């Protein structure tokens, strides 16, 4: 009977152009006071609210988003997930995130379409081979899956890759994280939003934070385009706008904002069932469920806040894809877009306290924070609830730039930046 009811209701909703579907989350008016205000309704802000409610019993929360949920980098990324980072500190936080991802559809009762199809990194010269073996050894010492592959093994996994010895950039080997892959990015945002809302979190869209209120060195609330919201604690998770929010609170961040672009081809039949990355040739490619080839490369070299990017980066990206996959040569590219990524000098994030009491910040995930979303939210929720970082995010404090304890993960980026 239940199944029949749901088929009938599906048909009714299809013919009514989806009118009458229940909303996945409420759209409440902001209250005058909250225990916690989270600024930024991307994956990291939403995950923080969800884990604050689920793990710490704090539900008097507003997530304040200036646009629409997931309209920032969360909905603009190329959805790659992996935990193959070099340093122990990074291994801890990214592996926590991957493990949370592995159970997230069940946790949220929302299919995030996690596809652990493997992430392959190619080596094209002796230096790449040495670097890859150093990384694979370090990753395995942290108990994380990673393996070195021969050109023949790579060809078996990605037959359309040009592995001939006379290619301009011959494939000499590579590394593979089999548990890596992709997940549907908007499903991650929507699933987290629905689950946070169900626990009482107010999600307030079209509401921009324009000021951070302080008294005696302590945060007291935020000014927004929909009025003042007082708060005991405030967490900032605004990615490319982190320096802007920090300036509102009177401090500076070691973060640069850059455009990062991606593009998709027209849809074609399934031809690539793994993620392929080449730092040297400078492109990465995967195939979406709709059949589009999803491609990206490095950041645009200048600072900026436009979600657009420039043509030369796209030209290089496509040229690099042609070198690796000559079979793509007649494929038409369909759409291009950009996001604003927040890059720290050591290419690692900042998650922790700020110089203002009870004001916390989560940023600097740069080109690689989608994979961190649940782990980042989990540790940030802990930090906000307890007022102290969790051991997993303690190394990622703002004061590492004063203490000199940098965690250099430039080489772990999807492609070189
Ligand atoms: P966002 O999703 O950007 O959310 C921040 C939100 O804050 C935004 O919605 C914004 O509107 C809001 N905001 C800003 N200012 C204010 C304000 N004053 N008031 C209220 N709200 C405000 N990572 C990977 O791991 N794998 C990938 O394959 C990958 N590919 C990428 C490809 C591209 C093209 C881009 C751009 C990024 C990619 N990333 C990838 C990086 C990843 O997308 C980000 O690190 C991650 O999504 C950051 O999430 P977030 O929630 O911190 O930020
Ligand atoms: O961090 O894996 C990554 C990534 C891939 C593309 C952009 N970032």
């Amino acid at each position: 009977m239940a199944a029949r009811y749901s088929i009938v209701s599906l048909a009714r909703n299809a013919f009514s152009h989806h009118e009458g579907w229940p909303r996945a989350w409420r759209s409440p008016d902001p209250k005058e006071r909250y225990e916690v205000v989270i600024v930024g309704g991307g994956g990291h802000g939403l995950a923080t609210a969800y884990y604050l409610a689920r793990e710490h019993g704090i539900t008097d929360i507003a997530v304040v988003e200036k646009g629409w949920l997931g309209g920032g980098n969360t909905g603009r990324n190329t959805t790659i997930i992996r935990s193959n980072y070099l340093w122990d500190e990074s291994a801890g936080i990214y592996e926590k995130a991957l493990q949370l991802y592995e159970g997230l559809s069940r946790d949220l009762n929302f299919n995030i379409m996690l596809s652990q199809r493997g992430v392959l990194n190619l080596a094209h010269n002796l230096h790449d081979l040495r670097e890859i073996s150093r990384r694979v050894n370090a990753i395995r010492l942290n108990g994380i899956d990673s393996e070195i592959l021969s050109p023949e093994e790579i060809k078996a996994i990605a037959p359309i890759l040009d592995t001939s010895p006379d290619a301009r950039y011959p494939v000499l080997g590579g590394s593979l994280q089999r548990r890596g892959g992709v997940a549907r990015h908007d499903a991650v945002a929507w699933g987290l939003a629905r689950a946070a809302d169900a626990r009482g979190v107010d999600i307030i869209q079209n509401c921009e934070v324009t000021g951070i209120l302080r008294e005696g060195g302590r945060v007291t609330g935020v000014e927004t385009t929909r009025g003042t919201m007082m708060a005991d604690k405030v967490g900032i998770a605004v990615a490319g706008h982190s320096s802007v929010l920090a300036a509102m609170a009177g401090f500076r961040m070691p973060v640069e904002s850059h455009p990062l672009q991606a593009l998709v081809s027209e849809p074609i039949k399934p031809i690539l069932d793994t993620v392929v990355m080449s730092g040297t040739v400078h492109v990465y490619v995967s195939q979406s469920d709709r059949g589009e080839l999803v491609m990206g490369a490095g950041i645009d070299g200048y600072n900026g806040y436009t979600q657009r990017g420039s043509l030369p980066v796209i030209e290089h990206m496509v040229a690099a894809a042609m070198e690796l996959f000559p079979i793509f040569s007649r494929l038409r590219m369909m759409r291009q877009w950009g996001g604003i990524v927040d890059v720290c000098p050591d290419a690692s994030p900042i998650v922790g306290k700020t110089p203002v009491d009870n004001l916390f910040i989560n940023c600097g995930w740069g080109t690689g924070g989608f994979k961190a979303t649940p782990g980042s939210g989990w540790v940030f929720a802990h930090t906000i609830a307890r007022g102290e970082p969790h051991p997993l995010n303690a190394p990622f404090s703002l004061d590492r730039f004063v203490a000199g304890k940098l965690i250099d993960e430039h080489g772990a980026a999807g492609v070189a930046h």
Side-chain angles (χ1 to χ4, degrees), residues 78 80-82 85 260 277 284 367-369 371 412-415 417:
T78 42
I80 297 165
I81 286 173
R82 58 191 173 86
Y85 278 68
L260 177 68
M277 292 186 170
Y284 60 89
T367 62
K371 70 174 81 64
V415 293
H417 295 124

Side-chain angles (χ1 to χ4, degrees), residues 39-45 64-68 70-81 207-210 237-241 245 248 260-262 284 337-342 362 365-373:
V39 189
H44 290 233
V64 181
E65 165 54 49
K66 76 172 176 180
W68 68 96
N73 292 338
T74 297
R76 294 166 186 269
N77 62 63
T78 42
T79 77
I80 297 165
I81 286 173
C207 179
E208 180 169 356
V209 169
T210 52
V238 296
H241 286 89
L245 269 288
M248 290 179 195
L260 177 68
Q261 306 184 63
Y284 60 89
W337 66 93
I340 312 160
V341 295
D342 43 335
N362 178 337
W365 295 95
T367 62
F370 176 64
K371 70 174 81 64
T373 303

Side-chain angles (χ1 to χ4, degrees), residues 46-178:
L46 292 165
T48 306
Y50 170 63
Y51 289 116
L52 270 170
R54 200 190 85 169
E55 300 288 313
H56 305 279
I58 299 174
T59 55
D60 184 20
I61 305 172
V63 176
V64 181
E65 165 54 49
K66 76 172 176 180
W68 68 96
L69 285 192
N73 292 338
T74 297
R76 294 166 186 269
N77 62 63
T78 42
T79 77
I80 297 165
I81 286 173
R82 58 191 173 86
S83 62
N84 51 357
Y85 278 68
L86 179 64
W87 300 107
D88 297 353
E89 295 86 345
S90 320
I93 199 160
Y94 287 103
E95 178 58 20
K96 172 74 186 173
L98 182 53
Q99 288 177 10
L100 287 169
Y101 261 126
E102 287 173 331
L104 202 59
S105 291
R106 214 171 28 250
D107 265 10
L108 302 177
N109 188 24
F110 198 101
N111 188 359
I112 63 155
M113 298 169 79
L114 176 67
S115 163
Q116 291 179 292
R117 59 184 68 178
V119 173
L120 185 58
N121 284 83
L122 302 178
H124 302 279
N125 53 47
L126 199 55
H127 170 79
D128 285 355
L129 279 175
R130 287 193 181 131
E131 185 59 20
I132 275 181
S133 60
R134 173 187 182 219
R135 283 176 182 279
V136 168
N137 287 331
I139 293 161
R140 290 170 70 120
L141 282 171
N142 275 313
I144 297 171
D145 69 302
S146 186
E147 57 199 91
I148 294 177
L149 299 186
S150 66
E152 295 71 33
E153 289 169 316
I154 290 172
K155 187 74 180 169
I157 290 175
I160 59 165
L161 191 61
D162 182 4
T163 52
S164 65
D166 52 359
R168 184 179 314 190
Y169 303 100
V171 175
L172 303 185
S175 67
L176 177 69
Q177 183 177 25
R178 290 187 193 271

